[in-house]
Amino acid sequence: MSDFSCNGCRRAVGDYCSGDERTRLAAPAMTISAEHTRIAALGAAERRVLLELVRRGPQSRVRLAERVGMSRASLTRISRVLLDAGLVLEGEPESPGARGRPAEVLRPRPGAAVFLGVKYTAEHVYLVLTDLCGSLIAETSTPLPSRDFDEALEIGIAAGDGLLGDLDNPSAVGIAVAGDVVVEGGESILRRSGFLGWDGVPLARRVAEHTSAPVTVFNDVNALAGAQHWFGGPRHSPLVVLGVGAGIGSGIVLDDELHVGAHGLAGRVGHSRIGAVLGAQGRPCANGHLDCVHSFATVPAIEEGAGVAPGEYAEAVRRAVLGEPGARAAFERAAFAVGIAVADAVNAVDPDAVAVTGEGVHCLDLAPEVFRQGLADGLEGRTADSVRIERPLFHFDLYARAAAVMAMRELLAEH
Ligand SMILES: [Zn+2]
């Protein structure tokens, strides 16, 4: 195994990209039209057709009419509205896959609509703009000097305004953040966002005060799961996405829909006690458990286990690559713990695939056999070989992009 570079940007691990301040245009030639504001004016039937095109790609009118359950005449009328609004195009796409006579095929128009996605970490805020196809239009990130909620909010809003430039408002805003997104008193409230120290903040409402666009806050791993399901290559359902980083969490897709649970708390798989298997270490997690998955698998736990300073995760990886025993042992414990977390999710959901991603996922490359050991140890009634593990590319920007995709999903699914 030679590739220990960051999955997202392929920088060497020594330059591990916890995120410098940077802004770049991913597609400067792309023209962003004003049509995006017209999504808000679409009726339920138009949204349903657009949603179907976005989630399943280019399709013939015949197939589209079948899928959304409407007559050919109705579809013709609705297609005309979407074509006039500049949201879809007729004809074959650049990529293969669609069948039928060119004019019969409808597809989302690249560059149509603009969605703003935001990801807060404890140190940075990452922002992206995507179009209706989920393609990246522009991105930026900026450091957070503190974890103060009001200050972080102000910095995020200013960065969003800067990224949007002349565009007055996006079609929708999605914000991904670690923690529990729950509804209290009819309002979306962010709870237990531990790394940021935010608990009980009305993040969605506070951002909505600065834009006319709808704003939705998502647990970050839930957002990744939803976006992975739509735009992450082969579509699996059920799907579990396990995010390994400052914490561990999973997002679940069931029946082609994100499953957040009755109280927004689904997918909590990171606290199984594994001390007995690892030889009791006596390591507490942030919840006070001794020797749970979090005690070994998170980035801070690996840093501590490898004997490096907080924030020096890249150094821990480097030492493990060089074979330093303490660092290797830390990654082996992490690999076992991640295996257990994957097994817990598989036991609960029986997914078609598990995508393991995040900034702290190097243990799977450094100790793949130990990961499989943990997985086998935790599974019930099946072998580790029977679990399809995927490794999507990762960068913090992807959380922001996932938030944008999820905001689009919310907007189009509104009826
Ligand atoms: Zn715990």
Side-chain angles (χ1 to χ4, degrees):
M1 201 64 210
S2 60
D3 182 7
F4 294 111
S5 61
C6 161
N7 271 333
C9 64
R10 296 285 166 199
R11 284 186 219 179
V13 142
D15 303 321
Y16 187 74
C17 51
S18 56
D20 306 319
E21 188 165 9
R22 65 210 158 80
T23 301
R24 74 181 172 89
L25 280 177
M30 184 178 282
T31 50
I32 303 167
S33 64
E35 283 91 353
H36 69 272
T37 54
R38 295 189 188 167
I39 288 185
L42 294 178
E46 284 87 2
R47 285 181 197 220
R48 197 156 78 239
V49 170
L50 190 56
L51 178 65
E52 179 62 26
L53 285 171
V54 169
R55 70 189 301 182
R56 294 189 207 278
Q59 294 173 52
S60 72
R61 290 169 192 252
V62 173
R63 189 165 181 191
L64 195 53
E66 278 171 15
R67 280 197 187 273
V68 297
M70 60 179 61
S71 70
R72 191 60 205 273
S74 298
L75 185 69
T76 300
R77 182 176 48 78
I78 284 164
S79 303
R80 180 46 54 199
V81 173
L82 295 174
L83 284 161
D84 289 348
L87 295 167
V88 303
L89 291 176
E90 285 176 315
E92 294 287 354
E94 289 160 18
S95 58
R99 294 182 182 161
R101 284 184 288 113
E104 281 292 291
V105 173
L106 291 176
R107 59 190 166 108
R109 187 174 72 79
V114 174
F115 299 90
L116 173 62
V118 183
K119 158 69 175 171
Y120 277 101
T121 70
E123 286 90 25
H124 289 82
V125 56
Y126 299 83
L127 301 97
V128 301
L129 298 180
T130 70
D131 69 1
L132 197 55
C133 304
S135 301
L136 191 64
I137 296 169
E139 61 177 345
T140 188
S141 69
T142 188
L144 296 176
S146 79
R147 296 174 188 185
D148 177 76
F149 177 63
D150 288 314
E151 188 178 26
L153 201 62
E154 203 173 296
I155 289 170
I157 288 166
D161 286 347
L163 197 61
L164 283 160
D166 294 337
L167 296 164
D168 50 354
N169 269 307
S171 295
V173 179
I175 305 171
V177 62
D180 300 334
V181 180
V182 297
V183 176
E184 293 177 4
E187 184 174 33
S188 166
I189 299 290
L190 175 63
R191 289 227 167 261
R192 299 196 321 132
S193 191
F195 323 119
L196 284 155
W198 300 349
D199 186 18
V201 293
L203 179 55
R205 172 163 57 81
R206 291 289 303 275
V207 175
E209 287 165 2
H210 294 268
T211 175
S212 62
V215 178
T216 313
V217 176
F218 304 93
N219 166 273
D220 52 0
V221 186
N222 278 343
L224 267 191
Q228 175 72 17
H229 178 239
W230 266 22
F231 295 120
R235 187 165 293 179
H236 301 292
S237 181
L239 169 73
V240 171
V241 174
L242 191 80
V244 183
I248 295 176
S250 73
I252 299 166
V253 173
L254 292 176
D255 295 331
D256 285 324
E257 295 292 340
L258 186 67
H259 174 78
V260 299
H263 309 93
L265 301 174
R268 304 305 194 260
V269 292
H271 290 279
S272 289
R273 313 304 200 274
I274 53 176
V277 193
L278 290 179
Q281 308 268 321
R283 292 172 182 272
C285 79
N287 289 4
H289 309 138
L290 283 186
D291 297 338
C292 77
V293 166
H294 265 77
S295 306
F296 299 103
T298 64
V299 164
I302 291 170
E303 289 168 349
E304 191 190 334
V308 302
E312 296 294 324
Y313 176 74
E315 172 61 15
V317 175
R318 195 185 67 81
R319 289 186 190 181
V321 171
L322 293 175
E324 198 272 303
R328 287 211 68 89
F331 279 97
E332 284 171 6
R333 288 193 295 267
F336 189 89
V338 173
I340 292 287
V342 171
D344 286 346
V346 169
N347 290 338
V349 176
D350 185 17
D352 185 38
V354 180
V356 186
T357 187
E359 74 274 25
V361 83
H362 297 82
C363 61
L364 266 67
D365 299 320
L366 288 162
E369 289 311 314
V370 185
F371 165 72
R372 290 178 62 77
Q373 238 179 302
L375 178 58
D377 195 73
L379 287 172
E380 184 161 346
R382 60 192 294 170
T383 64
D385 284 340
S386 72
V387 181
R388 188 203 309 255
I389 303 286
E390 302 212 328
R391 300 283 305 280
L393 298 178
F394 176 77
H395 187 275
F396 283 115
D397 290 346
L398 294 182
Y399 275 117
R401 187 180 159 198
V405 168
M406 292 304 291
M408 173 170 63
R409 242 175 122 134
E410 287 280 313
L411 183 68
L412 294 180
E414 266 174 21
H415 294 306

